[in-house]
Amino acid sequence: MPDALRLPYAPARTAGGEALLRPQIPLTLTLSARSIRAVGLVDSGADVNVLPYQAGVQLGATWSEQLPAVTLSGNLADLDARGIVLDAAIGEFAPVRLVFAWTRAQQVPLLLGQVNFFAEFDVCFHRSQGFLELRPPSRP
């Protein structure tokens, strides 16, 4: 298993057409026997990981069977969400369990936030150099 994974910032465009770079990570999400490839936006300002509705559907999740309602905050505060636990594989790292607020909204990106992505990985943003570095935390 590698000590660190270095990923370039990915080019993106805003709704207004402005070009920018974003800290995004390709990952594989798994629920039971179903897996999907996805790209998560690493967001240190997000309180929780957020899973868009369609990604949950592709994984075979059923809205009414998920954990009780989750309250989102910030610009996602008006969205309904349920808790869902998924396995996530990133690069050559051992898979980890991530807890998501699965929202019914279609227009939200997959967000990797404080609970619990940042508890599973140490992240260094090197924006001026155009990359981010991901490491599993050193545990005693």
Side-chain angles (χ1 to χ4, degrees), residues 102-113:
W102 180 28
T103 178
R104 288 195 95 123
Q106 303 287 344
Q107 73 280 8
V108 300
L110 191 152
L111 296 178
L112 300 169

Side-chain angles (χ1 to χ4, degrees), residues 33-104:
R34 287 195 185 171
S35 295
I36 62 168
R37 297 278 303 146
V39 176
L41 176 64
V42 181
D43 185 352
S44 63
D47 292 334
V48 298
N49 301 325
V50 177
L51 184 71
Y53 186 72
Q54 194 57 38
V57 170
Q58 289 173 347
L59 287 164
T62 303
W63 182 262
S64 62
E65 294 174 2
Q66 298 315 307
L67 298 172
V70 174
T71 302
L72 296 173
S73 61
N75 61 351
L76 303 178
D78 294 338
L79 303 177
D80 289 333
R82 299 285 178 107
I84 188 168
V85 179
L86 304 174
D87 291 319
I90 299 171
E92 299 296 319
F93 295 136
V96 296
R97 305 232 45 182
L98 294 180
V99 178
F100 286 87
W102 180 28
T103 178
R104 288 195 95 123

